[in-house]
Amino acid sequence: MKRQEFSVKRNSNSQTSSNNTNCTNCTMGKRKRTEGTTHGAPENKAPAIAKKAKTSKLSTTATAEGSSLVTVQVVTGSYDRILHGLTATISTDDHVEFADTFLFNAHNSAIRCLALSPPSAPEPGKLQKVMLASGSSDERINVYNISAHPPNRKYQDAISSVAPRRILENPKNREIGTLLHHSSTVTKLSFPTKSKLISSSEDSTIAVTRTRDWSLLSSIKTPIPKPQGRPSGDTASLGSTPAGVNDFAVHPSMKLMISVSRGERCMRLWNLMTAKKAGVLNFSRDMLQDVGEGKHALGEGRKVVWGSTEDGDEFCVGFDKDALVFGMDSIPKCRVMPEPRKKIHEISYVTIDAANDSSLLAVSTDDGRILFLSTKSEDLISSKSTEEKEKNPSLPMAKLIAQIGGKDAGISERIKDFSINRIPNKGGEESLVIAAGSSDGKVRIFKFGVSELEKARKSKTAPTVGRLLGTYETQNRITCVEAFIMIPRPEGVKDSEDELEDPSEDENDDENDEE
């Protein structure tokens, strides 16, 4: 039934476009006959010449604008069930101009997670697209097609120019369909490649979906934990045991995956080639004490992410108010958060120097800050003296390199989610653009150079880097944020209805994934 829904939508769109084409041809045919009988044949060439000049002028202007401006597409999900898309256009003098691109009443309940796919392959005469997936507490996954190019100025009508907020609606942004692969709240979505969508849910399953026909390839079932400290037998209420996958992370090789679940003081390693369990790593009592998870705490991992530093590949597991970094040997390397510890909302690795595999760990906190920490072995700080180590050994702490936001910058609301993207500068230096969403409904755009982090790494204190370019009020309680740098519109490409995906392209992606 799901495949039929997708096919019906596409067929209806193609039928509508064909009817419009036939009507246009009929009108043009009548116009040509009338002009031919009254004015003669030579005058029919004038409108064609005017149209050609107009098209070339528009494409030249769009290319010129794209070369001097950087457009960031930001997508936010909220408790209010609203999927809000907006663009932040950054000029050369770091002036930001916001505009609404789409506003969908996407779900029947709060939106919990978002995911963006890599852009489609560039083809001559075609525009590129990005797939957007949203997961909610209503058990549904909605999939959308989002244009990878900035919206054209000609779509700005008279109403949008008078509106209090600027509107640049893009007709390329549309819904594809809905996936019903889960029976509970969707907790995480990820596009490891353009041809695969991985989703997790509170029904203790991880689903792998093929984007070519949106069929379910495999469903990984995680064990439901046994109740601890709860009544057993007939006195236990049905479904009272906390269960479900909190988060998962796919290794860059696309062969391994780590997951953390509710009610479990461990993390699980999965083999994606066979969709079977590869191992289990339990969190010891000493590990949990180091991250502030006491006897009566849950002790479950809430976030997990893969990263790479000069020491090699590693992964980070986030808890309530701290996080642990593990090496590939599954031995804890260090803990992350400095004192006083604040609640963690999102963690991510930021690449500083790709040639040397240099990266930092970015963590958003409850007090409106995003911290940048170094997990390199040389930068680790010992939390205790040598004598205390011998009596009570504990993990070293990651070095705080820099931070953005906080009370000093006038930001005290918790940052629920953020997305980091790279943009080139004129001098060849790269800058980082951060789109951060707070629980008060504000989206903030930060920008700073990569060199600022390199300088801060050498200093003894952790400075506040970057600057706030602009703030946008969404008037919704934000839960998740995704963003990407839009591709400049190619020259000579006309706006037309979306065409179906080329199946040969998806087949090539599937073959590459299998290899």
Side-chain angles (χ1 to χ4, degrees):
M1 292 298 292
K2 297 170 193 169
R3 296 183 186 177
Q4 292 178 359
E5 287 182 10
F6 289 123
S7 61
V8 167
K9 280 192 176 184
R10 289 173 174 170
N11 291 335
S12 62
N13 289 335
S14 60
Q15 186 176 359
T16 306
S17 61
S18 62
N19 292 337
N20 293 336
T21 307
N22 294 334
C23 295
T24 306
N25 293 336
C26 294
T27 308
M28 292 298 294
K30 291 178 182 179
R31 190 180 299 167
K32 284 182 180 179
R33 291 194 200 102
T34 307
E35 292 174 355
T37 54
T38 55
H39 301 286
E43 295 182 2
N44 292 338
K45 296 181 180 178
I49 295 173
K51 278 188 177 181
K52 187 180 253 185
K54 187 176 181 181
T55 304
S56 61
K57 185 177 180 181
L58 285 172
S59 61
T60 305
T61 305
T63 308
E65 289 179 357
S67 60
S68 59
L69 302 176
V70 175
T71 304
V72 183
Q73 175 69 66
V74 183
V75 184
T76 64
S78 63
Y79 287 111
D80 307 301
R81 305 166 292 178
I82 300 297
L83 192 62
H84 190 177
L86 57 104
T87 57
T89 305
I90 305 174
S91 61
T92 54
D93 57 350
D94 290 343
H95 175 72
V96 178
E97 183 179 358
F98 294 98
D100 290 332
T101 52
F102 60 86
L103 193 68
F104 298 143
N105 192 359
H107 293 272
N108 297 325
S109 186
I111 299 175
R112 296 287 300 273
C113 52
L114 297 172
L116 290 171
S117 72
S120 59
E123 295 183 13
K126 290 185 179 180
L127 297 176
Q128 294 176 259
K129 293 176 289 185
V130 173
M131 285 181 289
L132 168 67
S134 63
S136 170
S137 302
D138 61 1
E139 308 171 4
R140 296 172 179 266
I141 300 174
N142 290 347
V143 186
Y144 304 85
N145 263 342
I146 304 296
S147 175
H149 307 286
N152 202 328
R153 304 289 177 177
K154 70 179 182 179
Y155 290 123
Q156 184 178 5
D157 53 9
I159 298 178
S160 63
S161 60
V162 180
R165 298 185 177 190
R166 190 178 182 190
I167 301 174
L168 285 178
E169 185 179 1
N170 196 329
K172 304 295 181 185
N173 302 333
R174 60 184 64 182
E175 183 177 0
I176 301 177
T178 301
L179 302 178
L180 301 174
H181 294 336
H182 298 285
S183 59
S184 187
T185 300
V186 181
T187 56
K188 176 68 180 294
L189 294 169
S190 175
F191 283 97
T193 62
K194 190 181 61 176
S195 61
K196 299 292 187 300
L197 170 64
I198 303 180
S199 58
S200 65
S201 172
E202 289 184 359
D203 60 1
S204 299
T205 60
I206 300 175
V208 181
T209 307
R210 182 169 55 196
T211 60
R212 182 177 60 188
D213 52 2
W214 301 107
S215 61
L216 182 64
L217 295 181
S218 62
S219 180
I220 302 173
K221 295 183 179 180
T222 62
I224 298 176
K226 296 179 180 180
Q228 297 179 358
R230 295 169 179 263
S232 59
D234 296 337
T235 58
S237 59
L238 183 62
S240 61
T241 305
V245 180
N246 284 333
D247 197 7
F248 66 87
V250 180
H251 190 265
S253 64
M254 309 298 172
K255 296 180 180 180
L256 298 174
M257 180 178 68
I258 293 178
S259 68
V260 289
S261 302
R262 296 184 61 190
E264 287 189 334
R265 297 190 172 190
C266 66
M267 58 183 176
R268 299 183 182 273
L269 181 66
W270 304 91
N271 185 350
L272 291 181
M273 306 300 292
T274 60
K276 293 183 179 180
K277 183 178 67 175
V280 179
L281 176 63
N282 294 316
F283 302 135
S284 65
R285 183 181 299 178
D286 295 335
M287 291 184 193
L288 295 177
Q289 287 180 353
D290 285 338
V291 295
E293 296 286 330
K295 180 180 179 181
H296 300 288
L298 296 176
E300 63 186 25
R302 301 174 186 268
K303 296 287 182 180
V304 61
V305 62
W306 284 97
S308 178
T309 62
E310 294 88 344
D311 301 332
D313 291 344
E314 64 184 29
F315 57 92
C316 179
V317 179
F319 296 88
D320 187 24
K321 293 185 178 181
D322 210 333
L324 285 177
V325 178
F326 295 84
M328 292 303 292
D329 53 1
S330 299
I331 297 177
K333 184 178 177 180
C334 65
R335 69 178 186 89
V336 172
M337 294 298 291
E339 299 292 343
R341 301 176 185 177
K342 299 294 182 179
K343 186 175 181 179
I344 294 176
H345 291 282
E346 185 61 32
I347 55 177
S348 177
Y349 277 92
V350 184
T351 302
I352 304 301
D353 187 1
N356 299 325
D357 288 336
S358 177
S359 62
L360 298 177
L361 185 65
V363 182
S364 66
T365 61
D366 208 26
D367 56 353
R369 295 183 299 164
I370 298 179
L371 309 178
F372 296 92
L373 304 108
S374 174
T375 59
K376 188 179 176 181
S377 300
E378 300 176 357
D379 296 335
L380 299 182
I381 302 172
S382 177
S383 56
K384 292 183 179 181
S385 62
T386 308
E387 296 180 357
E388 292 178 345
K389 274 186 180 181
E390 295 177 356
K391 296 180 181 179
N392 297 316
S394 61
L395 294 173
M397 189 172 59
K399 180 183 178 182
L400 179 61
I401 301 297
Q403 66 179 16
I404 61 174
K407 292 184 179 180
D408 296 338
I411 303 172
S412 58
E413 298 81 7
R414 57 182 177 179
I415 297 180
K416 292 287 291 184
D417 199 359
F418 63 92
S419 178
I420 303 177
N421 294 275
R422 284 176 172 267
I423 59 172
N425 290 336
K426 289 184 178 180
E429 179 190 354
E430 290 186 333
S431 296
L432 297 178
V433 175
I434 301 179
S438 302
S439 56
D440 59 350
K442 294 180 180 179
V443 175
R444 296 177 174 88
I445 305 297
F446 298 92
K447 181 183 177 183
F448 56 90
V450 177
S451 60
E452 294 185 44
L453 291 178
E454 294 176 352
K455 293 178 182 177
R457 198 169 194 169
K458 300 176 182 178
S459 63
K460 295 182 180 180
T461 59
T464 300
V465 297
R467 67 190 189 95
L468 179 64
L469 300 185
T471 304
Y472 186 84
E473 178 66 56
T474 62
Q475 298 180 354
N476 295 313
R477 295 174 296 167
I478 296 175
T479 57
C480 46
V481 175
E482 285 290 342
F484 67 94
I485 304 297
M486 305 194 84
I487 305 170
R489 186 178 294 270
E491 186 176 358
V493 177
K494 298 180 181 179
D495 292 322
S496 60
E497 295 293 327
D498 280 343
E499 299 179 359
L500 296 178
E501 293 287 341
D502 188 4
S504 61
E505 183 182 345
D506 292 330
E507 289 176 0
N508 295 333
D509 291 340
D510 294 339
E511 292 176 0
N512 294 334
D513 294 341
E514 292 176 359
E515 291 176 359

